[in-house]
């Protein structure tokens, strides 16, 4: 299985200069907090992520040199992402993120929530400075989607959880930020048709990424992913692998599982997933989202080349077979 942290290397290499300018900009943001908060903000802002959302901004902006506006927009995307992860780790009671203790475990729930809020507000301030109503409006709309997606996930009734509901949730909590990143990147060129296509492709790529992430929660070890594994088992989330498993199990087993996970261990469920063809089923749905993104991009020839490359790297994350957890 591939190491997810080693992925997206072609896109990262192509945008090496852009990412360097982005990291310098991001580092500076940590100093914009009160002295008592600065250390905490630094701890959250500086750990190295994969920077997928900033890369999406640069792919869609399609500029060979780092543009100031694209760098600022990439920072907005990353800061929204970071603040959402800080909140998510409180919600999921997670101790590990990007191979390090979460803000929640380090500073406590109250502080972590407020720190997430402060980072989110800081992102809004950078978006406002862009002086482009599209960037500003997209930023606030995206945060609203993220929060609503997360709320819908916690409200989703077990018996009523199906693929349609799942898509609605992941469109909100994950795909909205991929769509945002592609949209504000593409909008650097002030080309409306390209911006629209990039947003549509971004939404599909975001769905595919969350599907992959949901499989990892079941089948990938913490050592590989660098984050707490199995939170979806503990909180009994009916994510894609579980929906697929329910459709494959004999009726009695499915009825048991759709009430509660309590009669199963995580390892039992993971083995069932591997044995019942759940992985293949999820891969089919993942591939369909990648194809839909590619179809949007193909209409745009040259401009879409970098996003198409990103789509190919994302497609390469999903293994044909999963090893042991
Ligand atoms: C990860 O989900 C979480 C998200 C993609 C978004 C969560 C959004 C919020 C908590 C609202 C954020 C609020 C503000 C103000 C920005 P996951 O648990 O499936 O993924 P994981 O495996 O990375 O934990
Ligand atoms: Mg989580």
């Amino acid at each position: 299985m591939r190491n997810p942290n080693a992925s997206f290397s072609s896109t990262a290499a192509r945008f090496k200069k852009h990412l360097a300018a982005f990291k310098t900009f991001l580092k500076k943001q940590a100093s914009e907090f009160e002295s008592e908060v600065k250390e905490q903000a630094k701890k959250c802002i500086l750990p190295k992520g994969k920077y997928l959302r900033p890369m999406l901004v640069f792919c869609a902006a399609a500029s060979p040199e780092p543009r100031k506006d694209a760098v600022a927009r990439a920072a907005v995307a990353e800061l929204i992402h970071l603040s959402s992860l800080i909140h998510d780790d409180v919600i999921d009671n997670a101790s590990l993120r990007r191979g390090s203790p979460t803000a929640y475990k380090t500073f406590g729930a109250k502080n972590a929530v407020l720190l997430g809020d402060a980072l989110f507000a800081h992102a809004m301030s950078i978006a406002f400075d862009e002086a482009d109503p599209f960037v500003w409006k997209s930023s606030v709309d995206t945060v609203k989607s993220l929060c609503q997606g997360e709320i819908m996930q916690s409200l989703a009734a077990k018996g009523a959880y199906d693929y349609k509901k799942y898509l609605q949730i992941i469109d909100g909590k994950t795909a909205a930020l991929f769509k945002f990143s592609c949209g504000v990147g593409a909008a650097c060129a002030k080309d409306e048709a390209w911006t629209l296509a990039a947003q549509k492709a971004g939404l599909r790529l975001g769905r595919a990424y969350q599907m992959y992430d949901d499989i990892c929660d079941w089948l990938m070890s913490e050592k590989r992913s660098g984050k707490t594994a199995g939170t979806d088992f503990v909180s009994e989330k009916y994510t894609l692998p579980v929906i697929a498993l329910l459709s494959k199990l004999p009726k009695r087993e499915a009825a048991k599982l759709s009430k509660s996970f309590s009669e199963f261990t995580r390892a039992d469920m993971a083995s069932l997933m591997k044995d019942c063809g759940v992985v293949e089923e999820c891969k089919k749905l993942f591939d369909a989202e990648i194809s839909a993104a590619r179809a949007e991009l193909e209409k745009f020839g040259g401009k879409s080349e970098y996003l198409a490359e990103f789509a190919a790297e994302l497609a390469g994350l999903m293994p044909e077979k999963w090893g042991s957890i």
Side-chain angles (χ1 to χ4, degrees):
M1 193 188 301
R2 282 171 193 241
N3 176 353
N5 299 318
S7 306
F8 296 95
S9 48
S10 301
T11 305
R14 176 180 301 285
F15 293 113
K16 200 169 169 212
K17 270 193 280 180
H18 305 58
L19 286 167
F22 155 79
K23 284 180 200 169
T24 306
F25 184 91
L26 197 65
K27 247 184 218 169
K28 272 197 206 129
Q29 305 316 307
S31 60
E32 305 233 347
F33 292 81
E34 297 292 344
S35 51
E36 289 96 324
V37 185
K38 212 176 276 182
E39 280 313 304
Q40 299 191 354
K42 246 193 216 164
K43 275 212 170 76
C44 296
I45 291 177
L46 300 186
K48 206 177 166 327
K50 293 187 286 292
Y51 299 134
L52 297 187
R53 293 143 192 93
M55 284 201 266
L56 283 171
V57 174
F58 297 133
C59 287
S63 152
E65 291 302 314
R67 301 170 52 127
K68 221 171 141 209
D69 52 2
V71 168
R73 292 168 195 204
V76 174
E78 186 64 12
L79 286 168
I80 294 177
H81 177 54
L82 283 173
S83 73
S84 76
L85 293 184
I86 294 173
H87 286 160
D88 181 67
D89 287 333
V90 177
I91 297 168
D92 288 347
N93 190 20
S95 6
L96 199 65
R97 172 74 65 182
R98 295 175 173 177
S100 300
T102 56
Y104 164 50
K105 286 293 163 193
T106 312
F107 311 124
K110 280 187 202 164
N111 247 32
V113 168
L114 292 167
L115 192 60
D117 289 343
L119 291 185
F120 144 65
H122 191 73
M124 294 303 108
S125 162
I126 302 171
F128 186 76
D129 287 345
E130 275 296 283
D132 178 339
F134 172 76
V135 174
W136 175 236
K137 175 94 170 75
S138 307
S139 304
V140 288
D141 285 349
T142 300
V143 175
K144 186 176 166 192
S145 293
L146 255 61
C147 295
Q148 294 193 118
E150 195 66 21
I151 293 170
M152 280 190 268
Q153 178 166 272
S154 57
L155 290 181
K158 282 174 190 163
Y161 207 113
D162 56 13
Y163 184 57
K164 199 171 153 218
K165 188 81 208 160
Y166 172 75
L167 281 187
Q168 196 190 7
I169 289 167
I170 67 170
D171 279 2
K173 72 172 212 177
T174 306
L177 192 50
F178 273 59
K179 176 183 169 186
F180 168 83
S181 306
C182 293
V184 294
C188 288
K190 306 229 175 297
D191 175 340
E192 267 184 44
W194 167 232
T195 302
L196 199 65
Q199 284 180 312
K200 285 187 185 163
L203 185 90
R204 299 300 198 142
L205 295 175
R207 276 186 188 176
Y209 188 71
Q210 186 62 47
M211 290 175 176
Y212 168 73
D213 189 73
D214 286 338
I215 301 171
C216 290
D217 196 85
W218 282 98
L219 302 180
M220 191 181 272
S221 70
E222 279 186 359
K223 201 162 170 237
R224 275 186 191 276
S225 71
K227 54 189 179 182
T228 305
T231 58
D232 292 348
F233 171 72
V234 174
S235 52
E236 302 206 358
K237 276 189 206 161
Y238 285 72
T239 56
L240 185 61
V242 180
I243 297 169
L245 181 59
L246 283 169
S247 73
K248 306 266 179 198
L249 284 176
K251 265 195 182 152
R252 266 184 57 190
E253 289 290 290
K256 230 196 298 175
L257 186 64
S258 66
K259 274 197 207 119
S260 163
F261 295 177
S262 59
E263 289 189 40
F264 300 80
T265 65
R266 177 173 173 243
D268 284 344
M269 283 179 68
S271 302
L272 280 172
M273 283 172 188
K274 287 183 204 158
D275 297 346
C276 297
V278 162
V279 173
E280 290 76 6
E281 179 72 23
C282 292
K283 185 173 174 346
K284 249 191 247 160
L285 296 163
F286 169 92
D287 287 343
E289 294 301 334
I290 300 277
S291 300
R294 283 188 169 133
E296 289 299 336
L297 297 172
E298 270 160 16
K299 298 174 200 156
F300 273 85
K303 245 183 192 162
S304 66
E305 181 193 332
Y306 303 143
L307 267 186
E309 201 171 277
F310 182 100
E313 291 203 89
L314 177 54
L317 280 186
M318 185 71 105
E320 294 292 333
K321 288 257 170 279
W322 291 75
S324 57
I325 53 170

